[in-house]
mmCIF file of all heavy atoms in Angstrom:
data_model
loop_
_atom_site.group_PDB
_atom_site.id
_atom_site.type_symbol
_atom_site.label_atom_id
_atom_site.label_comp_id
_atom_site.label_asym_id
_atom_site.label_seq_id
_atom_site.Cartn_x
_atom_site.Cartn_y
_atom_site.Cartn_z
ATOM 1 N N LEU A 335 6.626 6.989 -0.283
ATOM 2 C CA LEU A 335 6.792 7.761 0.948
ATOM 3 C C LEU A 335 7.794 7.089 1.887
ATOM 4 O O LEU A 335 8.660 7.750 2.475
ATOM 5 C CB LEU A 335 5.440 7.917 1.646
ATOM 6 C CG LEU A 335 4.437 8.865 0.985
ATOM 7 C CD1 LEU A 335 3.042 8.655 1.562
ATOM 8 C CD2 LEU A 335 4.865 10.317 1.149
ATOM 9 N N ALA A 336 7.670 5.774 2.045
ATOM 10 C CA ALA A 336 8.552 5.046 2.960
ATOM 11 C C ALA A 336 9.996 5.067 2.484
ATOM 12 O O ALA A 336 10.933 5.219 3.286
ATOM 13 C CB ALA A 336 8.064 3.611 3.116
ATOM 14 N N ALA A 337 10.189 4.925 1.172
ATOM 15 C CA ALA A 337 11.545 4.970 0.629
ATOM 16 C C ALA A 337 12.159 6.356 0.824
ATOM 17 O O ALA A 337 13.346 6.488 1.141
ATOM 18 C CB ALA A 337 11.533 4.590 -0.845
ATOM 19 N N GLY A 338 11.343 7.401 0.627
ATOM 20 C CA GLY A 338 11.829 8.752 0.869
ATOM 21 C C GLY A 338 12.168 8.976 2.327
ATOM 22 O O GLY A 338 13.202 9.567 2.652
ATOM 23 N N LEU A 339 11.306 8.478 3.214
ATOM 24 C CA LEU A 339 11.555 8.598 4.647
ATOM 25 C C LEU A 339 12.850 7.895 5.030
ATOM 26 O O LEU A 339 13.644 8.403 5.830
ATOM 27 C CB LEU A 339 10.377 8.000 5.408
ATOM 28 C CG LEU A 339 10.377 8.119 6.933
ATOM 29 C CD1 LEU A 339 10.370 9.572 7.364
ATOM 30 C CD2 LEU A 339 9.178 7.375 7.510
ATOM 31 N N LYS A 340 13.078 6.732 4.437
ATOM 32 C CA LYS A 340 14.270 5.945 4.736
ATOM 33 C C LYS A 340 15.542 6.667 4.325
ATOM 34 O O LYS A 340 16.615 6.459 4.915
ATOM 35 C CB LYS A 340 14.169 4.597 4.023
ATOM 36 C CG LYS A 340 15.186 3.565 4.455
ATOM 37 C CD LYS A 340 14.885 2.229 3.791
ATOM 38 C CE LYS A 340 15.845 1.143 4.247
ATOM 39 N NZ LYS A 340 15.508 -0.176 3.625
ATOM 40 N N GLU A 341 15.444 7.550 3.320
ATOM 41 C CA GLU A 341 16.611 8.279 2.832
ATOM 42 C C GLU A 341 16.697 9.702 3.370
ATOM 43 O O GLU A 341 17.581 10.464 2.968
ATOM 44 C CB GLU A 341 16.617 8.298 1.305
ATOM 45 C CG GLU A 341 16.824 6.918 0.689
ATOM 46 C CD GLU A 341 17.023 6.969 -0.810
ATOM 47 O OE1 GLU A 341 17.372 8.051 -1.333
ATOM 48 O OE2 GLU A 341 16.828 5.924 -1.477
ATOM 49 N N ASN A 342 15.788 10.066 4.268
ATOM 50 C CA ASN A 342 15.834 11.399 4.869
ATOM 51 C C ASN A 342 17.155 11.568 5.626
ATOM 52 O O ASN A 342 17.626 10.639 6.281
ATOM 53 C CB ASN A 342 14.649 11.571 5.821
ATOM 54 C CG ASN A 342 14.430 13.014 6.236
ATOM 55 O OD1 ASN A 342 15.228 13.576 6.973
ATOM 56 N ND2 ASN A 342 13.347 13.603 5.776
ATOM 57 N N ASN A 343 17.742 12.741 5.540
ATOM 58 C CA ASN A 343 19.055 12.966 6.152
ATOM 59 C C ASN A 343 19.034 13.011 7.672
ATOM 60 O O ASN A 343 20.078 12.907 8.318
ATOM 61 C CB ASN A 343 19.651 14.278 5.620
ATOM 62 C CG ASN A 343 20.161 14.140 4.202
ATOM 63 O OD1 ASN A 343 20.598 13.063 3.802
ATOM 64 N ND2 ASN A 343 20.094 15.213 3.431
ATOM 65 N N ASN A 344 17.859 13.182 8.268
ATOM 66 C CA ASN A 344 17.746 13.305 9.719
ATOM 67 C C ASN A 344 17.509 11.932 10.339
ATOM 68 O O ASN A 344 16.515 11.268 10.056
ATOM 69 C CB ASN A 344 16.593 14.255 10.050
ATOM 70 C CG ASN A 344 16.521 14.603 11.520
ATOM 71 O OD1 ASN A 344 16.542 13.732 12.376
ATOM 72 N ND2 ASN A 344 16.399 15.892 11.807
ATOM 73 N N ASP A 345 18.433 11.488 11.199
ATOM 74 C CA ASP A 345 18.318 10.168 11.830
ATOM 75 C C ASP A 345 17.026 10.023 12.616
ATOM 76 O O ASP A 345 16.382 8.965 12.592
ATOM 77 C CB ASP A 345 19.502 9.921 12.767
ATOM 78 C CG ASP A 345 20.817 9.748 12.028
ATOM 79 O OD1 ASP A 345 20.757 9.430 10.826
ATOM 80 O OD2 ASP A 345 21.876 9.927 12.635
ATOM 81 N N ARG A 346 16.621 11.065 13.328
ATOM 82 C CA ARG A 346 15.402 11.006 14.125
ATOM 83 C C ARG A 346 14.177 10.818 13.241
ATOM 84 O O ARG A 346 13.261 10.049 13.564
ATOM 85 C CB ARG A 346 15.259 12.295 14.943
ATOM 86 C CG ARG A 346 14.007 12.351 15.804
ATOM 87 C CD ARG A 346 13.917 13.683 16.529
ATOM 88 N NE ARG A 346 13.888 14.810 15.620
ATOM 89 C CZ ARG A 346 12.774 15.235 14.996
ATOM 90 N NH1 ARG A 346 11.633 14.602 15.172
ATOM 91 N NH2 ARG A 346 12.831 16.278 14.197
ATOM 92 N N ILE A 347 14.164 11.487 12.098
ATOM 93 C CA ILE A 347 13.027 11.396 11.186
ATOM 94 C C ILE A 347 12.930 9.999 10.586
ATOM 95 O O ILE A 347 11.831 9.460 10.406
ATOM 96 C CB ILE A 347 13.162 12.471 10.088
ATOM 97 C CG1 ILE A 347 12.950 13.860 10.701
ATOM 98 C CG2 ILE A 347 12.166 12.222 8.964
ATOM 99 C CD1 ILE A 347 13.187 14.991 9.743
ATOM 100 N N ARG A 348 14.077 9.392 10.302
ATOM 101 C CA ARG A 348 14.054 8.060 9.672
ATOM 102 C C ARG A 348 13.415 7.005 10.568
ATOM 103 O O ARG A 348 13.015 5.950 10.095
ATOM 104 C CB ARG A 348 15.473 7.641 9.297
ATOM 105 C CG ARG A 348 16.033 8.383 8.098
ATOM 106 C CD ARG A 348 17.181 7.603 7.460
ATOM 107 N NE ARG A 348 18.284 7.437 8.397
ATOM 108 C CZ ARG A 348 19.278 8.320 8.555
ATOM 109 N NH1 ARG A 348 19.274 9.427 7.856
ATOM 110 N NH2 ARG A 348 20.249 8.088 9.418
ATOM 111 N N SER A 349 13.305 7.282 11.852
ATOM 112 C CA SER A 349 12.701 6.305 12.766
ATOM 113 C C SER A 349 11.178 6.403 12.789
ATOM 114 O O SER A 349 10.513 5.584 13.423
ATOM 115 C CB SER A 349 13.246 6.515 14.181
ATOM 116 O OG SER A 349 12.804 7.765 14.711
ATOM 117 N N GLN A 350 10.613 7.393 12.096
ATOM 118 C CA GLN A 350 9.163 7.544 12.073
ATOM 119 C C GLN A 350 8.524 6.576 11.087
ATOM 120 O O GLN A 350 9.212 5.831 10.380
ATOM 121 C CB GLN A 350 8.794 8.992 11.760
ATOM 122 C CG GLN A 350 9.260 9.964 12.842
ATOM 123 C CD GLN A 350 8.521 11.280 12.786
ATOM 124 O OE1 GLN A 350 7.376 11.349 12.402
ATOM 125 N NE2 GLN A 350 9.205 12.344 13.214
ATOM 126 N N LYS A 351 7.193 6.598 11.051
ATOM 127 C CA LYS A 351 6.448 5.645 10.224
ATOM 128 C C LYS A 351 5.569 6.378 9.210
ATOM 129 O O LYS A 351 5.122 7.502 9.444
ATOM 130 C CB LYS A 351 5.524 4.793 11.096
ATOM 131 C CG LYS A 351 6.204 4.069 12.253
ATOM 132 C CD LYS A 351 6.873 2.805 11.801
ATOM 133 C CE LYS A 351 7.352 1.995 13.010
ATOM 134 N NZ LYS A 351 8.027 0.747 12.608
ATOM 135 N N VAL A 352 5.301 5.706 8.120
ATOM 136 C CA VAL A 352 4.221 6.095 7.217
ATOM 137 C C VAL A 352 2.992 5.301 7.649
ATOM 138 O O VAL A 352 3.025 4.065 7.683
ATOM 139 C CB VAL A 352 4.559 5.783 5.750
ATOM 140 C CG1 VAL A 352 3.377 6.143 4.845
ATOM 141 C CG2 VAL A 352 5.819 6.519 5.315
ATOM 142 N N HIS A 353 1.923 5.988 7.998
ATOM 143 C CA HIS A 353 0.688 5.333 8.420
ATOM 144 C C HIS A 353 -0.175 5.103 7.180
ATOM 145 O O HIS A 353 -0.706 6.056 6.598
ATOM 146 C CB HIS A 353 -0.052 6.183 9.448
ATOM 147 C CG HIS A 353 0.693 6.320 10.740
ATOM 148 N ND1 HIS A 353 0.480 5.478 11.808
ATOM 149 C CD2 HIS A 353 1.670 7.190 11.119
ATOM 150 C CE1 HIS A 353 1.281 5.825 12.801
ATOM 151 N NE2 HIS A 353 2.017 6.857 12.410
ATOM 152 N N ALA A 354 -0.290 3.839 6.780
ATOM 153 C CA ALA A 354 -1.000 3.477 5.555
ATOM 154 C C ALA A 354 -2.407 2.981 5.885
ATOM 155 O O ALA A 354 -2.568 2.007 6.630
ATOM 156 C CB ALA A 354 -0.231 2.397 4.800
ATOM 157 N N PHE A 355 -3.408 3.652 5.332
ATOM 158 C CA PHE A 355 -4.808 3.320 5.588
ATOM 159 C C PHE A 355 -5.469 2.778 4.332
ATOM 160 O O PHE A 355 -5.298 3.321 3.238
ATOM 161 C CB PHE A 355 -5.579 4.565 6.037
ATOM 162 C CG PHE A 355 -5.234 5.060 7.414
ATOM 163 C CD1 PHE A 355 -4.086 5.814 7.634
ATOM 164 C CD2 PHE A 355 -6.065 4.797 8.487
ATOM 165 C CE1 PHE A 355 -3.775 6.285 8.907
ATOM 166 C CE2 PHE A 355 -5.765 5.260 9.764
ATOM 167 C CZ PHE A 355 -4.617 6.007 9.965
ATOM 168 N N ASP A 356 -6.227 1.715 4.500
ATOM 169 C CA ASP A 356 -7.050 1.202 3.409
ATOM 170 C C ASP A 356 -8.025 0.189 3.993
ATOM 171 O O ASP A 356 -7.752 -0.424 5.042
ATOM 172 C CB ASP A 356 -6.200 0.531 2.325
ATOM 173 C CG ASP A 356 -6.875 0.558 0.956
ATOM 174 O OD1 ASP A 356 -7.856 -0.184 0.761
ATOM 175 O OD2 ASP A 356 -6.436 1.337 0.091
ATOM 176 N N LEU A 357 -9.128 -0.003 3.300
ATOM 177 C CA LEU A 357 -10.047 -1.072 3.682
ATOM 178 C C LEU A 357 -9.413 -2.425 3.385
ATOM 179 O O LEU A 357 -9.705 -3.420 4.049
ATOM 180 C CB LEU A 357 -11.368 -0.917 2.922
ATOM 181 C CG LEU A 357 -12.523 -1.820 3.312
ATOM 182 C CD1 LEU A 357 -12.919 -1.616 4.766
ATOM 183 C CD2 LEU A 357 -13.731 -1.570 2.394
ATOM 184 N N PHE A 358 -8.541 -2.468 2.361
ATOM 185 C CA PHE A 358 -7.851 -3.686 1.926
ATOM 186 C C PHE A 358 -8.860 -4.802 1.601
ATOM 187 O O PHE A 358 -8.639 -5.969 1.925
ATOM 188 C CB PHE A 358 -6.839 -4.168 2.970
ATOM 189 C CG PHE A 358 -5.676 -3.247 3.159
ATOM 190 C CD1 PHE A 358 -5.578 -2.456 4.301
ATOM 191 C CD2 PHE A 358 -4.687 -3.148 2.191
ATOM 192 C CE1 PHE A 358 -4.507 -1.592 4.484
ATOM 193 C CE2 PHE A 358 -3.613 -2.287 2.352
ATOM 194 C CZ PHE A 358 -3.528 -1.505 3.502
ATOM 195 N N GLU A 359 -9.933 -4.415 0.961
ATOM 196 C CA GLU A 359 -10.950 -5.382 0.534
ATOM 197 C C GLU A 359 -11.121 -5.260 -0.971
ATOM 198 O O GLU A 359 -11.405 -4.179 -1.486
ATOM 199 C CB GLU A 359 -12.277 -5.118 1.238
ATOM 200 C CG GLU A 359 -13.372 -6.114 0.900
ATOM 201 C CD GLU A 359 -14.654 -5.832 1.658
ATOM 202 O OE1 GLU A 359 -14.632 -5.950 2.893
ATOM 203 O OE2 GLU A 359 -15.668 -5.483 1.003
ATOM 204 N N LEU A 360 -10.951 -6.355 -1.684
ATOM 205 C CA LEU A 360 -10.991 -6.343 -3.148
ATOM 206 C C LEU A 360 -12.440 -6.370 -3.626
ATOM 207 O O LEU A 360 -13.105 -7.396 -3.522
ATOM 208 C CB LEU A 360 -10.227 -7.546 -3.707
ATOM 209 C CG LEU A 360 -10.017 -7.567 -5.226
ATOM 210 C CD1 LEU A 360 -9.129 -6.412 -5.662
ATOM 211 C CD2 LEU A 360 -9.397 -8.901 -5.649
ATOM 212 N N ASN A 361 -12.920 -5.232 -4.136
ATOM 213 C CA ASN A 361 -14.291 -5.228 -4.649
ATOM 214 C C ASN A 361 -14.327 -5.754 -6.084
ATOM 215 O O ASN A 361 -13.285 -5.950 -6.723
ATOM 216 C CB ASN A 361 -14.917 -3.832 -4.539
ATOM 217 C CG ASN A 361 -14.159 -2.782 -5.344
ATOM 218 O OD1 ASN A 361 -13.788 -2.999 -6.491
ATOM 219 N ND2 ASN A 361 -13.927 -1.624 -4.716
ATOM 220 N N SER A 362 -15.508 -5.995 -6.591
ATOM 221 C CA SER A 362 -15.657 -6.627 -7.906
ATOM 222 C C SER A 362 -15.125 -5.740 -9.025
ATOM 223 O O SER A 362 -14.571 -6.240 -10.013
ATOM 224 C CB SER A 362 -17.125 -6.987 -8.157
ATOM 225 O OG SER A 362 -17.944 -5.836 -8.035
ATOM 226 N N TYR A 363 -15.263 -4.408 -8.888
ATOM 227 C CA TYR A 363 -14.754 -3.501 -9.918
ATOM 228 C C TYR A 363 -13.239 -3.623 -10.036
ATOM 229 O O TYR A 363 -12.691 -3.758 -11.142
ATOM 230 C CB TYR A 363 -15.145 -2.061 -9.591
ATOM 231 C CG TYR A 363 -14.453 -1.045 -10.475
ATOM 232 C CD1 TYR A 363 -14.908 -0.797 -11.764
ATOM 233 C CD2 TYR A 363 -13.325 -0.351 -10.030
ATOM 234 C CE1 TYR A 363 -14.263 0.123 -12.587
ATOM 235 C CE2 TYR A 363 -12.678 0.563 -10.830
ATOM 236 C CZ TYR A 363 -13.148 0.795 -12.114
ATOM 237 O OH TYR A 363 -12.494 1.688 -12.928
ATOM 238 N N LEU A 364 -12.550 -3.571 -8.903
ATOM 239 C CA LEU A 364 -11.090 -3.679 -8.931
ATOM 240 C C LEU A 364 -10.651 -5.055 -9.424
ATOM 241 O O LEU A 364 -9.662 -5.179 -10.148
ATOM 242 C CB LEU A 364 -10.523 -3.416 -7.539
ATOM 243 C CG LEU A 364 -10.675 -1.993 -7.007
ATOM 244 C CD1 LEU A 364 -10.241 -1.916 -5.557
ATOM 245 C CD2 LEU A 364 -9.873 -1.004 -7.853
ATOM 246 N N LYS A 365 -11.388 -6.081 -9.040
ATOM 247 C CA LYS A 365 -11.053 -7.445 -9.460
ATOM 248 C C LYS A 365 -11.112 -7.570 -10.977
ATOM 249 O O LYS A 365 -10.235 -8.188 -11.597
ATOM 250 C CB LYS A 365 -12.016 -8.424 -8.802
ATOM 251 C CG LYS A 365 -11.814 -9.886 -9.203
ATOM 252 C CD LYS A 365 -10.554 -10.462 -8.610
ATOM 253 C CE LYS A 365 -10.435 -11.952 -8.890
ATOM 254 N NZ LYS A 365 -9.153 -12.503 -8.399
ATOM 255 N N GLU A 366 -12.143 -6.993 -11.585
ATOM 256 C CA GLU A 366 -12.322 -7.111 -13.036
ATOM 257 C C GLU A 366 -11.416 -6.159 -13.813
ATOM 258 O O GLU A 366 -10.904 -6.497 -14.877
ATOM 259 C CB GLU A 366 -13.785 -6.838 -13.400
ATOM 260 C CG GLU A 366 -14.759 -7.892 -12.902
ATOM 261 C CD GLU A 366 -14.508 -9.258 -13.531
ATOM 262 O OE1 GLU A 366 -14.166 -9.306 -14.725
ATOM 263 O OE2 GLU A 366 -14.645 -10.261 -12.824
ATOM 264 N N THR A 367 -11.241 -4.970 -13.280
ATOM 265 C CA THR A 367 -10.519 -3.936 -14.027
ATOM 266 C C THR A 367 -9.010 -4.083 -13.938
ATOM 267 O O THR A 367 -8.289 -3.726 -14.880
ATOM 268 C CB THR A 367 -10.939 -2.539 -13.511
ATOM 269 O OG1 THR A 367 -12.366 -2.444 -13.512
ATOM 270 C CG2 THR A 367 -10.364 -1.440 -14.387
ATOM 271 N N TYR A 368 -8.526 -4.615 -12.820
ATOM 272 C CA TYR A 368 -7.084 -4.738 -12.601
ATOM 273 C C TYR A 368 -6.730 -6.191 -12.269
ATOM 274 O O TYR A 368 -6.472 -6.534 -11.113
ATOM 275 C CB TYR A 368 -6.628 -3.807 -11.476
ATOM 276 C CG TYR A 368 -6.962 -2.355 -11.760
ATOM 277 C CD1 TYR A 368 -8.099 -1.763 -11.205
ATOM 278 C CD2 TYR A 368 -6.165 -1.591 -12.600
ATOM 279 C CE1 TYR A 368 -8.416 -0.439 -11.483
ATOM 280 C CE2 TYR A 368 -6.481 -0.281 -12.886
ATOM 281 C CZ TYR A 368 -7.607 0.293 -12.326
ATOM 282 O OH TYR A 368 -7.913 1.591 -12.603
ATOM 283 N N PRO A 369 -6.723 -7.045 -13.300
ATOM 284 C CA PRO A 369 -6.446 -8.474 -13.058
ATOM 285 C C PRO A 369 -4.957 -8.763 -12.891
ATOM 286 O O PRO A 369 -4.345 -9.503 -13.654
ATOM 287 C CB PRO A 369 -7.012 -9.137 -14.323
ATOM 288 C CG PRO A 369 -6.815 -8.107 -15.396
ATOM 289 C CD PRO A 369 -7.044 -6.776 -14.722
ATOM 290 N N TYR A 370 -4.379 -8.176 -11.855
ATOM 291 C CA TYR A 370 -2.964 -8.365 -11.589
ATOM 292 C C TYR A 370 -2.700 -9.805 -11.147
ATOM 293 O O TYR A 370 -3.507 -10.406 -10.431
ATOM 294 C CB TYR A 370 -2.490 -7.431 -10.481
ATOM 295 C CG TYR A 370 -2.614 -5.960 -10.782
ATOM 296 C CD1 TYR A 370 -2.957 -5.061 -9.771
ATOM 297 C CD2 TYR A 370 -2.375 -5.455 -12.053
ATOM 298 C CE1 TYR A 370 -3.059 -3.702 -10.023
ATOM 299 C CE2 TYR A 370 -2.482 -4.106 -12.313
ATOM 300 C CZ TYR A 370 -2.821 -3.225 -11.301
ATOM 301 O OH TYR A 370 -2.917 -1.880 -11.547
ATOM 302 N N PRO A 371 -1.570 -10.378 -11.547
ATOM 303 C CA PRO A 371 -1.253 -11.756 -11.145
ATOM 304 C C PRO A 371 -1.266 -11.956 -9.637
ATOM 305 O O PRO A 371 -1.716 -12.998 -9.156
ATOM 306 C CB PRO A 371 0.149 -11.974 -11.731
ATOM 307 C CG PRO A 371 0.235 -11.028 -12.883
ATOM 308 C CD PRO A 371 -0.560 -9.826 -12.476
ATOM 309 N N GLU A 372 -0.792 -10.971 -8.881
ATOM 310 C CA GLU A 372 -0.715 -11.145 -7.444
ATOM 311 C C GLU A 372 -2.087 -11.139 -6.765
ATOM 312 O O GLU A 372 -2.212 -11.494 -5.596
ATOM 313 C CB GLU A 372 0.189 -10.081 -6.803
ATOM 314 C CG GLU A 372 -0.235 -8.651 -7.068
ATOM 315 C CD GLU A 372 0.465 -8.036 -8.267
ATOM 316 O OE1 GLU A 372 0.535 -8.698 -9.317
ATOM 317 O OE2 GLU A 372 0.940 -6.894 -8.137
ATOM 318 N N LEU A 373 -3.122 -10.742 -7.527
ATOM 319 C CA LEU A 373 -4.480 -10.752 -6.990
ATOM 320 C C LEU A 373 -5.311 -11.912 -7.540
ATOM 321 O O LEU A 373 -6.495 -12.030 -7.225
ATOM 322 C CB LEU A 373 -5.195 -9.434 -7.317
ATOM 323 C CG LEU A 373 -4.635 -8.179 -6.652
ATOM 324 C CD1 LEU A 373 -5.321 -6.929 -7.199
ATOM 325 C CD2 LEU A 373 -4.793 -8.246 -5.135
ATOM 326 N N ALA A 374 -4.680 -12.765 -8.342
ATOM 327 C CA ALA A 374 -5.421 -13.835 -9.015
ATOM 328 C C ALA A 374 -6.145 -14.745 -8.039
ATOM 329 O O ALA A 374 -7.253 -15.225 -8.312
ATOM 330 C CB ALA A 374 -4.476 -14.652 -9.895
ATOM 331 N N ASP A 375 -5.554 -14.992 -6.888
ATOM 332 C CA ASP A 375 -6.147 -15.912 -5.914
ATOM 333 C C ASP A 375 -6.981 -15.208 -4.846
ATOM 334 O O ASP A 375 -7.414 -15.844 -3.883
ATOM 335 C CB ASP A 375 -5.040 -16.737 -5.236
ATOM 336 C CG ASP A 375 -4.294 -17.618 -6.230
ATOM 337 O OD1 ASP A 375 -4.916 -18.050 -7.215
ATOM 338 O OD2 ASP A 375 -3.091 -17.850 -6.020
ATOM 339 N N VAL A 376 -7.191 -13.910 -5.026
ATOM 340 C CA VAL A 376 -7.998 -13.151 -4.066
ATOM 341 C C VAL A 376 -9.390 -12.941 -4.654
ATOM 342 O O VAL A 376 -9.544 -12.211 -5.639
ATOM 343 C CB VAL A 376 -7.362 -11.785 -3.749
ATOM 344 C CG1 VAL A 376 -8.211 -11.020 -2.727
ATOM 345 C CG2 VAL A 376 -5.936 -11.946 -3.244
ATOM 346 N N PRO A 377 -10.420 -13.566 -4.110
ATOM 347 C CA PRO A 377 -11.770 -13.378 -4.655
ATOM 348 C C PRO A 377 -12.343 -12.018 -4.294
ATOM 349 O O PRO A 377 -11.904 -11.377 -3.319
ATOM 350 C CB PRO A 377 -12.570 -14.501 -3.987
ATOM 351 C CG PRO A 377 -11.851 -14.763 -2.704
ATOM 352 C CD PRO A 377 -10.394 -14.516 -2.981
ATOM 353 N N ALA A 378 -13.294 -11.555 -5.095
ATOM 354 C CA ALA A 378 -13.979 -10.301 -4.781
ATOM 355 C C ALA A 378 -14.600 -10.398 -3.395
ATOM 356 O O ALA A 378 -15.213 -11.410 -3.039
ATOM 357 C CB ALA A 378 -15.043 -10.008 -5.826
ATOM 358 N N GLY A 379 -14.412 -9.351 -2.603
ATOM 359 C CA GLY A 379 -14.930 -9.329 -1.245
ATOM 360 C C GLY A 379 -13.933 -9.775 -0.199
ATOM 361 O O GLY A 379 -14.184 -9.613 0.994
ATOM 362 N N ALA A 380 -12.791 -10.334 -0.633
ATOM 363 C CA ALA A 380 -11.773 -10.822 0.306
ATOM 364 C C ALA A 380 -10.689 -9.769 0.520
ATOM 365 O O ALA A 380 -10.570 -8.787 -0.216
ATOM 366 C CB ALA A 380 -11.157 -12.109 -0.204
#
């Protein structure tokens, strides 16, 4: 969404934001199912 917004032809529109919502908390299911390297140091619940 942000990349598309950045390439929008309207200068006024490009100054807007994408509002990104999430709890941003790594639960045990995501920790086990998606063992991405960038999450290796993030414990479940953090």
Side-chain angles (χ1 to χ4, degrees):
L335 288 165
L339 185 61
K340 192 174 183 178
E341 293 188 20
N342 193 290
N343 285 329
N344 188 310
D345 291 339
R346 179 183 59 82
I347 290 175
R348 287 201 298 272
S349 67
Q350 296 199 31
K351 306 279 189 181
V352 177
H353 294 267
F355 289 79
D356 206 288
L357 188 60
F358 293 106
E359 183 178 295
L360 188 65
N361 61 45
S362 56
Y363 170 79
L364 293 172
K365 178 71 174 176
E366 293 296 323
T367 309
Y368 302 98
Y370 298 144
E372 58 266 46
L373 294 173
D375 297 329
V376 181

